Structure formats: structure tokens, C-alpha cells
Amino acid sequence: MTIVDTPERRQLRELTRAFVTREVLPHLDDWERAGEVPRELHATAAKIGLLGIGFPEQVGGSGGDLLDSIIVTEEIIRSGGSSGLVAALFTHGIALPHMVAAAGGRLGGSLGGRLGTERATDDDLIDRYVRPTLAGTMIGALAITEPDGGSDVAAIRTTARRDGDHYVVNGSKTYITSGVRADFVTTAVCADFPGSGELTLLVIDKGTPGFTVGRRLEKLGWHCSDTAELSFVDVRVPVTNRIGEEDTGFLAIMQHFAAERLSLATQAYATAQRCVELTVRWCRDRTTFGRPLAGRQLVRHRLAEMHTRAEAARAYVHDVAARVAAGEPVVTEVAMAKNVAVAACDQVVDQALQLHGGFGYLRDAEVERHYRDARILGIGGGTTEIMNEIIAKGMGL
Ligand SMILES: Cc1cc2nc3c(=O)[nH]c(=O)nc-3n(C[C@H](O)[C@H](O)[C@H](O)COP(=O)(O)OP(=O)(O)OC[C@H]3O[C@@H](n4cnc5c(N)ncnc54)[C@H](O)[C@@H]3O)c2cc1C
């Protein structure tokens, strides 16, 4: 299967490209230095309908499905943006879907399945968090990972003890994308005893007493994407801020991992494609020993291999994404798509930097940023090793 290139999708590509050219490229270096993207960028992206792609109109989205979101992600990076920018501007892609699904909204294909029952409080969460976020006036984050470990999601230790019509939350989270700027955090907690594997999702507002946003974490890459540690000490969260029913959080997280993993896979192959383009341009212009680099067979073959890796990864990710959108149960294939795309990206960014020589090592070179940004793609949303565990399970091992 593949992503059909309809006239609407071609228009979406043009819209995305124009947005990046006009609103992102003149400022991206400043945002990398500042460690975050400005809030106004969310409003600008919302105004032209980009922020809401993949979310139903009934919840304030722009419509479209998972495949349209992939088109947007791909085009942002191919037109000179970065995976860090995607992480910062589209954090709602991981912070909101559980709320939309719990309220019965369809997110596209099989990803919008219901969790728990449709309750008035879930509709209320749509009005209080989903609509303002898709309108670009609120920023959300998703907090699963804890200092004691991220791969083993079921081992979460942050607790939520029921006290009347509130939960009292204690624990901490780390590496949370957009955690510095977020107005609310979709937080995975354990309402039973820690380690029970039964998780619940609560939406926790910034400013709630006992909820502290810790230091801004300094990173190898994704510099324009703020990352934070969060601490919860006796934080009282109204029961009305629970997403779906108690103990449905683990299933919700697992269901929405597919979209997150495909987004990361898309960021990986699109980064590879962008680096191939940049490197081809460089190798045509750069002359050594009296000839352009591209005039040498060794260099041409290296570029050919980089191009092949990027295109093969793209074709496979598109195939798996189309199957997810069609409702096929392809958990193993999603894991393989992520690993294939990340491996292609790792090899291509390394070769791209090498072919740029000394310039490739400088902050002035776009490939330098992609080289650093790419390293997280095999860690976030489930590491390469955890993907291999899923694949091995799918093989019956
Ligand atoms: C920039 C950035 C942004 C992030 N954003 C978010 C976010 O928004 N929200 C959020 O909740 N989390 C976020 N994360 C966390 C990320 O999802 C985790 O870092 C990731 O899931 C790995 O968890 P960990 O770091 O605890 O590593 P660990 O689980 O401690 O793993 C360490 C190493 O051991 C390997 N390993 C673990 N278990 C096994 C096993 N069974 N078999 C073989 N190898 C194994 C892992 O693959 C890894 O190589 C972010 C991380 C970063 C760096």
C-alpha cells in the first residue's frame, strides 16, 4: 500500500512548504539558541489549519488523517525545518489523542478507537484542552517517562491516590518534550500500587500547587524543542481531569504509540532525504583536486547509496502507515518501519556530514543540525532495542 498523492495532499505540501519558508526558516537558528519555539508560532500554524491536521473538525481540528499528518511532517523537514521543530510544534500529536479517543472522536483510521466510555467529563476535556491547543492558544505535553526508566511503561511509579472528587498525585517525570512551555500535561499515573501495570491518564494543569517544572534539560540535539523534568508533590487533580476510565491508561498509551512511532519514522526518512539533497548540491559545487566532488565515481556511488536508503525507508514507512490507516493490526510492522527509517537516517546523516568535510562539523551547516537531531529518533517513542523486542515477539520468538 502507499499514500495516494491526491490534489488535496499536493495542496497540503504547498501550504506546509510556504509556512516553513515564511515563518520558520528566517528564525530557526534563533529558536535553536533560545531553546524553544515561540508560542505565536502555534497560533500562526493553527490559523492556516496546519496544527489541526489529523484531528477531526468536531474537536477543533482541520480534518485529515494519519497519512496527512505524515505528509506535513515530511514536508516540514524536506523544506528546511527539522525534527526538533516537529517535536516542539506538534507535541499535541502525542498529548491530545487519548482525550479525543476517550470522547469518542475519530482520529483517523484505527487510531481513534474508544477508550472507556463516553462521559460528559471527556467532552469537557475536549473544550478545555483539545480545542484551545488546536487553536494554538494552549500548549500540551505528554508525560510517561520517569527518572527510574522509560522503556518499561508498566513500571511507572507516579501514584494517584483517590481522595473524594480529587486524585492526589506524587512522583516525577523526566525528558518531557515541551514540558517547560506546556500549560497542561497528559500524565501517566498509577492509581493502584506502583508497578501494578494498571495506568490512568490525568490532565494536570501548570500552576496546580505542588506541580513544579524543573530545569530545562540541555541536549545533544533538538535544541529548539524544550525538554523538562516535572515533579508532583501532593498535587490535587480533579477526577474530572481523568481521561476515560481508571486503569485504561496503559491500553491508551499503547494504541497511540503507533502514530508516534510512525511520526518518528517519518522524521527519520525525511531527514535522510533532506541530507541527500543538501549533499548532492554540495558535491556538485565543491571542487577538490581540480574537479567537483560529484565528478568522482566513489562520491557518486556513495550519494546513490544514501538516496537508495532514504527512498526505500520512505516507501516502507508509507506502506505501513497506509495499512495502519486502513485498520490493519500491524504493530510489528510499525516497529520495523521505525527501525528501518532510523537506521537509514543514521547512515545518511553520517555520510552527509563526512562529504561536507570540515564545513559539515560547523554550526553553519544544516547537515550538522540534522546529524545531532537524528540521534534521538532511535531513542524516543520506544528505543530501537524495544522495537526489536516487539519484532521478535511478532516472529513468535
Ligand atoms: C529529547 C527527548 C524527548 C523526549 N520526550 C518525551 C516525552 O515527551 N514524553 C515522555 O514520556 N518521554 C519522553 N522521552 C523519553 C523517551 O521516550 C525515553 O528516553 C525512552 O523511552 C527510553 O527510556 P529511558 O531513557 O528510560 O531508557 P531505559 O529504559 O533506561 O533504557 C536504557 C537502554 O537500555 C535498553 N533497554 C531497555 N530495556 C531493554 C530490554 N528489555 N532489552 C534490551 N535493551 C533494553 C534501551 O533500549 C536503552 O538503550 C524523551 C526523551 C528525550 C531524550
Side-chain angles (χ1 to χ4, degrees):
M1 293 175 93
T2 190
I3 300 182
V4 182
D5 200 16
T6 59
E8 290 76 22
R9 291 205 173 116
R10 279 198 288 279
Q11 241 177 342
L12 187 58
R13 282 187 190 283
E14 278 165 31
L15 179 78
T16 309
R17 189 165 276 270
F19 168 77
V20 172
T21 306
R22 204 176 45 240
E23 307 292 345
V24 173
L25 296 188
H27 311 291
L28 189 52
D29 287 344
D30 291 340
W31 299 338
E32 289 273 303
R33 276 188 288 276
E36 61 182 45
V37 300
R39 295 182 83 90
E40 304 85 67
L41 188 69
H42 293 250
T44 309
K47 242 177 242 146
I48 60 167
L50 264 193
L51 218 56
I53 290 291
F55 287 87
E57 289 172 18
Q58 303 94 292
V59 301
S62 318
D65 60 11
L66 170 73
L67 306 183
D68 297 302
S69 305
I70 284 177
I71 299 287
V72 171
T73 300
E74 183 179 310
E75 208 55 45
I76 285 179
I77 295 171
R78 292 206 58 187
S79 49
S82 68
S83 56
L85 179 87
V86 172
L89 186 58
F90 290 86
T91 319
H92 61 280
I94 55 174
L96 299 182
H98 321 86
M99 283 186 244
V100 176
R106 308 289 312 170
L107 229 198
S110 63
L111 294 176
R114 274 173 202 199
L115 303 162
T117 54
E118 282 180 59
R119 305 170 309 148
T121 49
D122 286 321
D123 291 343
D124 187 46
L125 295 180
I126 299 291
D127 290 336
R128 286 162 57 211
Y129 298 104
V130 177
R131 287 184 201 285
T133 304
L134 295 178
T137 57
M138 266 188 143
I139 293 174
L142 173 70
I144 298 174
T145 308
E146 302 188 344
D148 283 343
S151 299
D152 189 0
V153 173
I156 277 173
R157 307 194 71 79
T158 298
T159 54
R161 179 177 49 82
R162 184 78 182 252
D163 180 22
D165 54 4
H166 282 77
Y167 287 99
V168 181
V169 177
N170 281 285
S172 53
K173 300 286 179 181
T174 193
Y175 316 140
I176 304 308
T177 297
S178 294
V180 176
R181 298 176 306 144
D183 302 296
F184 67 89
V185 182
T186 300
T187 311
V189 297
C190 187
D192 299 309
F193 56 93
S196 68
E198 302 285 10
L199 302 182
T200 299
L201 290 173
L202 298 179
V203 186
I204 307 184
D205 291 307
K206 187 179 256 176
T208 311
F211 172 18
T212 321
V213 177
R215 65 194 171 94
R216 180 189 297 267
L217 300 174
E218 306 244 327
K219 310 184 293 297
L220 171 71
W222 276 17
H223 285 178
C224 68
S225 168
D226 56 293
T227 312
E229 289 173 333
L230 312 177
S231 154
F232 306 95
V233 179
D234 291 333
V235 179
R236 293 186 69 80
V237 180
V239 171
T240 47
N241 274 29
R242 190 184 69 215
I243 301 174
E245 298 298 331
E246 210 168 87
D247 295 344
T248 59
F250 187 78
L251 177 65
I253 291 166
M254 291 303 142
Q255 281 183 343
H256 294 288
F257 261 150
E260 181 179 1
R261 287 171 184 162
L262 285 171
S263 171
L264 289 160
T266 303
Q267 292 170 47
Y269 76 69
T271 297
Q273 285 186 301
R274 175 71 180 172
C275 284
V276 171
E277 273 166 36
L278 293 168
T279 311
V280 165
R281 214 181 296 161
W282 167 266
C283 289
R284 283 202 172 113
D285 292 347
R286 182 72 174 175
T287 298
T288 65
F289 301 95
R291 265 200 285 159
L293 279 175
R296 297 175 196 281
Q297 190 183 47
L298 179 79
V299 173
R300 282 201 305 274
H301 283 198
R302 198 177 283 181
L303 290 169
E305 283 166 8
M306 289 160 65
H307 181 54
T308 306
R309 283 203 177 98
E311 292 304 314
R314 179 179 190 257
Y316 186 55
V317 173
H318 279 205
D319 172 71
V320 174
R323 291 169 68 187
V324 169
E328 284 186 41
V330 284
V331 177
T332 309
E333 287 79 358
V334 168
M336 292 196 290
K338 183 169 187 280
N339 279 2
V340 162
V342 167
C345 183
D346 285 348
Q347 287 169 334
V348 169
V349 292
D350 184 65
Q351 294 295 317
L353 193 146
Q354 185 70 17
L355 282 166
H356 276 74
F359 180 60
Y361 198 66
L362 300 190
R363 282 285 150 98
D364 285 345
E366 188 183 324
V367 290
E368 185 263 358
R369 191 183 68 228
H370 292 305
Y371 181 87
R372 287 182 292 102
D373 283 355
R375 195 61 188 83
I376 182 61
L377 302 174
I379 296 172
T383 64
T384 299
E385 292 76 17
I386 296 302
M387 294 306 101
N388 279 335
E389 278 295 293
I390 294 170
I391 297 161
K393 206 170 158 192
M395 293 165 70
L397 294 169

